[in-house]
Amino acid sequence: MYKSEQLAQHLRQLIENGTLKAHEKLPSLREQVQLSGFSLITVMNAYQELESRGLIYAREKSGYYIAQGLLEIEAEHAQIVSLNTPVEINSLVFKYLKSIQDEKIVPLGSAFPAQDIVFSKKLTQIMGQISRNPKSYDAIDNLPPGNLALRKLIAQRYCMQGIATDPEDIVITSGCMDALNLSLQAIASLGDYIVLQQNIFYGALQAAERLGLKVVTLPEHPQDGFDLTAFEHILKTYPVKICWLMLNSHNPVGFTVSDEIKHKIAVLLHQYHVHLIEDDVYEEMHYASKKPVSMKYFDQNNMVLHCSSFSKTLGAAFRVGWVHAGKYSQAIQHLQLMSTISVNTLLQNALVEFISNYHYEKHLRVLRKSLQQHKLQFYRYLESRLPTGCKLQYHPSGYFLWLKLPENIESMAVYEALIQQQIGVAPGRLFNVAEAKTQYIRLNCSFAWKDDIQQALDALLSTISALSSDQTNI
Ligand SMILES: Cc1ncc(COP(=O)(O)O)c(C=O)c1O
């Protein structure tokens, strides 16, 4: 075991046994060097490891603190492994998406990052320049599998993470949703068994519903995010063909699964010969200096189709994504030619300019910093005002907070009450097919702090309190 792992494990034990309490300040890096006798780099690595697991969080110019909640989350779901067939989520998602489309609604329920933090002036300048060049509209060069220069740049980004990639492995798609759907269609047939995490982006549930798949749901692990024991149990019990997993900055819950667990998942997938569709659309939303690896990193046998997009980093309106499809590239292109045909030519050319001139990396650095600040601000505000029985899960990546409601308060009740006040929140029911009632809501924290945000959060807190006292008075 590395020294940094030893130190991280020691600190984790102190957190687990309650010696270090929520929001307590950890010794500074230099103090920890003195205390532990380890080098500064070892201490930094250990703190980063704990941060990436959501056990501690950093406050700018102040240091590291123990995160609240993660270890206290009950193992209430931990043992449930359920088979849900058929899925029926589409109409609920449709109703929900319609209800939050009104621009007067405060969009705390939205999955889109705030437009002002993903907006890039540089990219719009590039788009302006290339829009005047007739060559930028050459449709033939951009037909499936997509613009070669863009595929080369995406392939390079994989190679930089240690994932050997040829531009021919990549298919450019209309956003990540298209990449995920095409991948699933290329592999799955009616009646196949698919494993989905119990809380999962509703797009996965819709896709499973559309293809008539049998869904087996996998509960979250209260600390690690991913329950390996339950996963192995499922693979032993059902003839699973495909998994659709999200392991980095999970939507809706927010956790990032450790490299160690990802490696074990890869071993199990190989052992049971199961394909993985990896939804990694939030892969760039980490706050730590090192990007978390994807499952594609551990893929020895071309069984992982890794899907992502620019939607969370540059804006969902771009509709440019991709799949690292490997040997499924041809099958996916065939499906694409029968559906969306190709992705916007001008945007693909603009992205080539933007990425190859290093503007994307610069944009990502600023974006991550803003997201981290905004999320912490939301977290601190809410955390000190939570009504009794609520618990807030903070994970140091992405822009979602996952709020547990008091006993007997159902997520749809909170959503319905707030939408009347023109405030949108995402009810846990949207993400969960296993349970008819869910006690969680997801909040989008990507927005800069303004009066309307604070008022919306105040309304959320008072709505929960009012629903709680209604329950106690029954
Ligand atoms: C987890 C997850 N996967 C996929 C998507 C779809 O991404 P895109 O807008 O690139 O199609 C979203 C969008 O919100 C998402 O949250």
PDB file of all heavy atoms in Angstrom, residues 312-330:
ATOM      1  N   LYS A 312     -22.263  19.502 -20.948  1.00  0.00           N
ATOM      2  CA  LYS A 312     -22.138  19.998 -19.577  1.00  0.00           C
ATOM      3  C   LYS A 312     -21.021  21.030 -19.473  1.00  0.00           C
ATOM      4  O   LYS A 312     -20.904  21.727 -18.475  1.00  0.00           O
ATOM      5  CB  LYS A 312     -21.868  18.837 -18.602  1.00  0.00           C
ATOM      6  CG  LYS A 312     -22.907  17.743 -18.675  1.00  0.00           C
ATOM      7  CD  LYS A 312     -24.284  18.232 -18.293  1.00  0.00           C
ATOM      8  CE  LYS A 312     -25.357  17.226 -18.610  1.00  0.00           C
ATOM      9  NZ  LYS A 312     -26.705  17.770 -18.434  1.00  0.00           N
ATOM     10  N   THR A 313     -20.160  21.097 -20.491  1.00  0.00           N
ATOM     11  CA  THR A 313     -19.025  22.002 -20.405  1.00  0.00           C
ATOM     12  C   THR A 313     -19.202  23.244 -21.283  1.00  0.00           C
ATOM     13  O   THR A 313     -18.686  24.306 -20.958  1.00  0.00           O
ATOM     14  CB  THR A 313     -17.733  21.276 -20.824  1.00  0.00           C
ATOM     15  OG1 THR A 313     -17.934  20.691 -22.115  1.00  0.00           O
ATOM     16  CG2 THR A 313     -17.367  20.194 -19.840  1.00  0.00           C
ATOM     17  N   LEU A 314     -19.933  23.100 -22.392  1.00  0.00           N
ATOM     18  CA  LEU A 314     -20.113  24.246 -23.289  1.00  0.00           C
ATOM     19  C   LEU A 314     -21.585  24.607 -23.476  1.00  0.00           C
ATOM     20  O   LEU A 314     -21.893  25.652 -24.040  1.00  0.00           O
ATOM     21  CB  LEU A 314     -19.485  23.946 -24.660  1.00  0.00           C
ATOM     22  CG  LEU A 314     -17.958  23.811 -24.649  1.00  0.00           C
ATOM     23  CD1 LEU A 314     -17.448  23.258 -25.963  1.00  0.00           C
ATOM     24  CD2 LEU A 314     -17.302  25.161 -24.363  1.00  0.00           C
ATOM     25  N   GLY A 315     -22.466  23.734 -23.026  1.00  0.00           N
ATOM     26  CA  GLY A 315     -23.899  24.018 -23.130  1.00  0.00           C
ATOM     27  C   GLY A 315     -24.617  22.929 -23.902  1.00  0.00           C
ATOM     28  O   GLY A 315     -24.122  22.459 -24.929  1.00  0.00           O
ATOM     29  N   ALA A 316     -25.798  22.568 -23.390  1.00  0.00           N
ATOM     30  CA  ALA A 316     -26.540  21.443 -23.986  1.00  0.00           C
ATOM     31  C   ALA A 316     -27.056  21.788 -25.375  1.00  0.00           C
ATOM     32  O   ALA A 316     -27.334  20.909 -26.180  1.00  0.00           O
ATOM     33  CB  ALA A 316     -27.691  21.055 -23.077  1.00  0.00           C
ATOM     34  N   ALA A 317     -27.142  23.098 -25.672  1.00  0.00           N
ATOM     35  CA  ALA A 317     -27.694  23.493 -26.969  1.00  0.00           C
ATOM     36  C   ALA A 317     -26.793  23.065 -28.135  1.00  0.00           C
ATOM     37  O   ALA A 317     -27.253  22.970 -29.265  1.00  0.00           O
ATOM     38  CB  ALA A 317     -27.893  24.996 -26.997  1.00  0.00           C
ATOM     39  N   PHE A 318     -25.506  22.818 -27.857  1.00  0.00           N
ATOM     40  CA  PHE A 318     -24.595  22.431 -28.944  1.00  0.00           C
ATOM     41  C   PHE A 318     -24.941  21.084 -29.567  1.00  0.00           C
ATOM     42  O   PHE A 318     -24.702  20.865 -30.741  1.00  0.00           O
ATOM     43  CB  PHE A 318     -23.141  22.394 -28.443  1.00  0.00           C
ATOM     44  CG  PHE A 318     -22.544  23.748 -28.434  1.00  0.00           C
ATOM     45  CD1 PHE A 318     -22.505  24.493 -27.276  1.00  0.00           C
ATOM     46  CD2 PHE A 318     -22.051  24.292 -29.603  1.00  0.00           C
ATOM     47  CE1 PHE A 318     -21.983  25.771 -27.275  1.00  0.00           C
ATOM     48  CE2 PHE A 318     -21.531  25.562 -29.610  1.00  0.00           C
ATOM     49  CZ  PHE A 318     -21.493  26.311 -28.447  1.00  0.00           C
ATOM     50  N   ARG A 319     -25.437  20.196 -28.754  1.00  0.00           N
ATOM     51  CA  ARG A 319     -25.792  18.848 -29.222  1.00  0.00           C
ATOM     52  C   ARG A 319     -24.626  18.168 -29.941  1.00  0.00           C
ATOM     53  O   ARG A 319     -24.793  17.610 -31.014  1.00  0.00           O
ATOM     54  CB  ARG A 319     -27.032  18.863 -30.150  1.00  0.00           C
ATOM     55  CG  ARG A 319     -28.251  19.600 -29.685  1.00  0.00           C
ATOM     56  CD  ARG A 319     -28.791  19.228 -28.332  1.00  0.00           C
ATOM     57  NE  ARG A 319     -28.905  17.813 -28.060  1.00  0.00           N
ATOM     58  CZ  ARG A 319     -28.584  17.288 -26.867  1.00  0.00           C
ATOM     59  NH1 ARG A 319     -28.139  18.038 -25.863  1.00  0.00           N
ATOM     60  NH2 ARG A 319     -28.713  16.010 -26.668  1.00  0.00           N
ATOM     61  N   VAL A 320     -23.444  18.256 -29.388  1.00  0.00           N
ATOM     62  CA  VAL A 320     -22.327  17.492 -29.949  1.00  0.00           C
ATOM     63  C   VAL A 320     -21.786  16.574 -28.854  1.00  0.00           C
ATOM     64  O   VAL A 320     -21.417  17.029 -27.770  1.00  0.00           O
ATOM     65  CB  VAL A 320     -21.182  18.389 -30.491  1.00  0.00           C
ATOM     66  CG1 VAL A 320     -20.093  17.515 -31.137  1.00  0.00           C
ATOM     67  CG2 VAL A 320     -21.701  19.395 -31.504  1.00  0.00           C
ATOM     68  N   GLY A 321     -21.784  15.291 -29.144  1.00  0.00           N
ATOM     69  CA  GLY A 321     -21.246  14.304 -28.212  1.00  0.00           C
ATOM     70  C   GLY A 321     -20.496  13.251 -28.996  1.00  0.00           C
ATOM     71  O   GLY A 321     -20.237  13.431 -30.191  1.00  0.00           O
ATOM     72  N   TRP A 322     -20.162  12.170 -28.318  1.00  0.00           N
ATOM     73  CA  TRP A 322     -19.465  11.090 -29.016  1.00  0.00           C
ATOM     74  C   TRP A 322     -19.567   9.805 -28.215  1.00  0.00           C
ATOM     75  O   TRP A 322     -19.896   9.826 -27.025  1.00  0.00           O
ATOM     76  CB  TRP A 322     -17.987  11.435 -29.230  1.00  0.00           C
ATOM     77  CG  TRP A 322     -17.184  11.479 -27.968  1.00  0.00           C
ATOM     78  CD1 TRP A 322     -16.489  10.454 -27.371  1.00  0.00           C
ATOM     79  CD2 TRP A 322     -17.005  12.619 -27.105  1.00  0.00           C
ATOM     80  NE1 TRP A 322     -15.897  10.889 -26.203  1.00  0.00           N
ATOM     81  CE2 TRP A 322     -16.192  12.218 -26.028  1.00  0.00           C
ATOM     82  CE3 TRP A 322     -17.459  13.948 -27.145  1.00  0.00           C
ATOM     83  CZ2 TRP A 322     -15.822  13.076 -24.997  1.00  0.00           C
ATOM     84  CZ3 TRP A 322     -17.091  14.810 -26.116  1.00  0.00           C
ATOM     85  CH2 TRP A 322     -16.286  14.359 -25.069  1.00  0.00           C
ATOM     86  N   VAL A 323     -19.283   8.721 -28.928  1.00  0.00           N
ATOM     87  CA  VAL A 323     -19.108   7.446 -28.235  1.00  0.00           C
ATOM     88  C   VAL A 323     -17.775   6.860 -28.660  1.00  0.00           C
ATOM     89  O   VAL A 323     -17.428   6.910 -29.840  1.00  0.00           O
ATOM     90  CB  VAL A 323     -20.294   6.475 -28.498  1.00  0.00           C
ATOM     91  CG1 VAL A 323     -20.671   6.369 -29.954  1.00  0.00           C
ATOM     92  CG2 VAL A 323     -19.984   5.078 -27.966  1.00  0.00           C
ATOM     93  N   HIS A 324     -17.026   6.369 -27.675  1.00  0.00           N
ATOM     94  CA  HIS A 324     -15.836   5.569 -27.965  1.00  0.00           C
ATOM     95  C   HIS A 324     -16.394   4.172 -28.202  1.00  0.00           C
ATOM     96  O   HIS A 324     -16.662   3.424 -27.276  1.00  0.00           O
ATOM     97  CB  HIS A 324     -14.886   5.592 -26.769  1.00  0.00           C
ATOM     98  CG  HIS A 324     -13.568   4.934 -27.040  1.00  0.00           C
ATOM     99  ND1 HIS A 324     -13.439   3.692 -27.609  1.00  0.00           N
ATOM    100  CD2 HIS A 324     -12.311   5.375 -26.818  1.00  0.00           C
ATOM    101  CE1 HIS A 324     -12.166   3.381 -27.718  1.00  0.00           C
ATOM    102  NE2 HIS A 324     -11.449   4.395 -27.255  1.00  0.00           N
ATOM    103  N   ALA A 325     -16.635   3.859 -29.491  1.00  0.00           N
ATOM    104  CA  ALA A 325     -17.430   2.677 -29.807  1.00  0.00           C
ATOM    105  C   ALA A 325     -16.575   1.457 -30.123  1.00  0.00           C
ATOM    106  O   ALA A 325     -17.099   0.327 -30.154  1.00  0.00           O
ATOM    107  CB  ALA A 325     -18.333   2.986 -30.992  1.00  0.00           C
ATOM    108  N   GLY A 326     -15.283   1.657 -30.404  1.00  0.00           N
ATOM    109  CA  GLY A 326     -14.405   0.528 -30.733  1.00  0.00           C
ATOM    110  C   GLY A 326     -15.000  -0.299 -31.854  1.00  0.00           C
ATOM    111  O   GLY A 326     -15.423   0.229 -32.884  1.00  0.00           O
ATOM    112  N   LYS A 327     -15.124  -1.600 -31.597  1.00  0.00           N
ATOM    113  CA  LYS A 327     -15.572  -2.496 -32.671  1.00  0.00           C
ATOM    114  C   LYS A 327     -17.054  -2.300 -33.039  1.00  0.00           C
ATOM    115  O   LYS A 327     -17.518  -2.853 -34.029  1.00  0.00           O
ATOM    116  CB  LYS A 327     -15.295  -3.951 -32.303  1.00  0.00           C
ATOM    117  CG  LYS A 327     -16.108  -4.460 -31.134  1.00  0.00           C
ATOM    118  CD  LYS A 327     -15.744  -5.903 -30.800  1.00  0.00           C
ATOM    119  CE  LYS A 327     -16.521  -6.342 -29.579  1.00  0.00           C
ATOM    120  NZ  LYS A 327     -16.041  -7.545 -28.946  1.00  0.00           N
ATOM    121  N   TYR A 328     -17.775  -1.534 -32.220  1.00  0.00           N
ATOM    122  CA  TYR A 328     -19.185  -1.283 -32.536  1.00  0.00           C
ATOM    123  C   TYR A 328     -19.380  -0.033 -33.406  1.00  0.00           C
ATOM    124  O   TYR A 328     -20.510   0.370 -33.690  1.00  0.00           O
ATOM    125  CB  TYR A 328     -20.006  -1.154 -31.238  1.00  0.00           C
ATOM    126  CG  TYR A 328     -20.052  -2.467 -30.512  1.00  0.00           C
ATOM    127  CD1 TYR A 328     -19.177  -2.734 -29.474  1.00  0.00           C
ATOM    128  CD2 TYR A 328     -20.926  -3.473 -30.923  1.00  0.00           C
ATOM    129  CE1 TYR A 328     -19.181  -3.970 -28.841  1.00  0.00           C
ATOM    130  CE2 TYR A 328     -20.938  -4.706 -30.297  1.00  0.00           C
ATOM    131  CZ  TYR A 328     -20.061  -4.944 -29.260  1.00  0.00           C
ATOM    132  OH  TYR A 328     -20.062  -6.163 -28.646  1.00  0.00           O
ATOM    133  N   SER A 329     -18.270   0.553 -33.825  1.00  0.00           N
ATOM    134  CA  SER A 329     -18.362   1.803 -34.582  1.00  0.00           C
ATOM    135  C   SER A 329     -19.250   1.658 -35.835  1.00  0.00           C
ATOM    136  O   SER A 329     -20.126   2.489 -36.085  1.00  0.00           O
ATOM    137  CB  SER A 329     -16.955   2.259 -34.959  1.00  0.00           C
ATOM    138  OG  SER A 329     -17.013   3.240 -35.927  1.00  0.00           O
ATOM    139  N   GLN A 330     -19.037   0.606 -36.589  1.00  0.00           N
ATOM    140  CA  GLN A 330     -19.811   0.421 -37.829  1.00  0.00           C
ATOM    141  C   GLN A 330     -21.307   0.272 -37.522  1.00  0.00           C
ATOM    142  O   GLN A 330     -22.145   0.903 -38.157  1.00  0.00           O
ATOM    143  CB  GLN A 330     -19.344  -0.863 -38.561  1.00  0.00           C
ATOM    144  CG  GLN A 330     -17.959  -0.769 -39.137  1.00  0.00           C
ATOM    145  CD  GLN A 330     -17.925   0.111 -40.380  1.00  0.00           C
ATOM    146  OE1 GLN A 330     -18.885   0.155 -41.134  1.00  0.00           O
ATOM    147  NE2 GLN A 330     -16.830   0.825 -40.579  1.00  0.00           N
TER     148      GLN A 330
END
